[in-house]
Amino acid sequence: MRRMILLLAALAAAAVFSVQAQQSRAASPPSKPAVSSEPLIIEGVVRDFRGQGLPGAVVMATSRNTATTGKDGSYRITGLDRAQPTYLMHVQKPGYLFVPDRVSVHPPSRGILTANFTATDPKAK
């Protein structure tokens, strides 16, 4: 009889511990995805209002991290800090207007960020 009582007490204690452990796991905040230690790359294409690649446009992620678009309008900015929460992208090319002229982008935890831009029609009002 004594063994039976001890066995029931042990089972009851194990059940209480199990419920507390499940409640503890459920109350934990979700973990953030691990941020890769590799530098961030932002790449994309700058197009004119007709959809053609726009060569010679300057794309800026920071004052020191810029790129000039190639013949096909493509650009690539490397060496950015992936842990920075936001980059304010800006595009410039004399004679062209980009609306909006600044775009906030948020780096992914892994991979390459793509940011494309299109100039507005200068004749549009």
Side-chain angles (χ1 to χ4, degrees):
M1 181 70 144
R2 182 176 159 101
R3 284 186 186 178
M4 180 83 109
I5 292 173
L6 288 175
L7 180 61
L8 288 174
L11 287 173
V16 168
F17 176 77
S18 176
V19 168
Q20 288 174 342
Q22 287 175 358
Q23 288 174 344
S24 173
R25 274 185 261 140
S28 299
S31 62
K32 293 182 180 178
V35 174
S36 173
S37 61
E38 67 187 37
L40 173 65
I41 297 170
I42 300 177
E43 64 183 17
V45 178
V46 178
R47 292 179 167 64
D48 65 15
F49 66 95
R50 293 181 193 100
Q52 301 297 315
L54 188 60
V58 177
V59 183
M60 294 165 269
T62 69
S63 60
R64 285 181 273 184
N65 297 97
T66 65
T68 302
T69 57
K71 291 179 183 179
D72 62 352
S74 66
Y75 74 92
R76 184 176 178 99
I77 302 174
T78 61
L80 298 167
D81 183 6
R82 188 174 297 278
Q84 182 169 322
T86 303
Y87 283 96
L88 187 60
M89 303 286 295
H90 180 69
V91 183
Q92 289 181 317
K93 168 112 175 147
Y96 291 87
L97 179 64
F98 297 88
V99 177
D101 66 339
R102 298 187 194 299
V103 176
S104 293
V105 295
H106 307 282
S109 59
R110 299 186 188 300
I112 296 173
L113 175 65
T114 301
N116 298 316
F117 300 91
T118 302
T120 60
D121 183 347
K123 296 177 186 175
K125 292 184 180 185

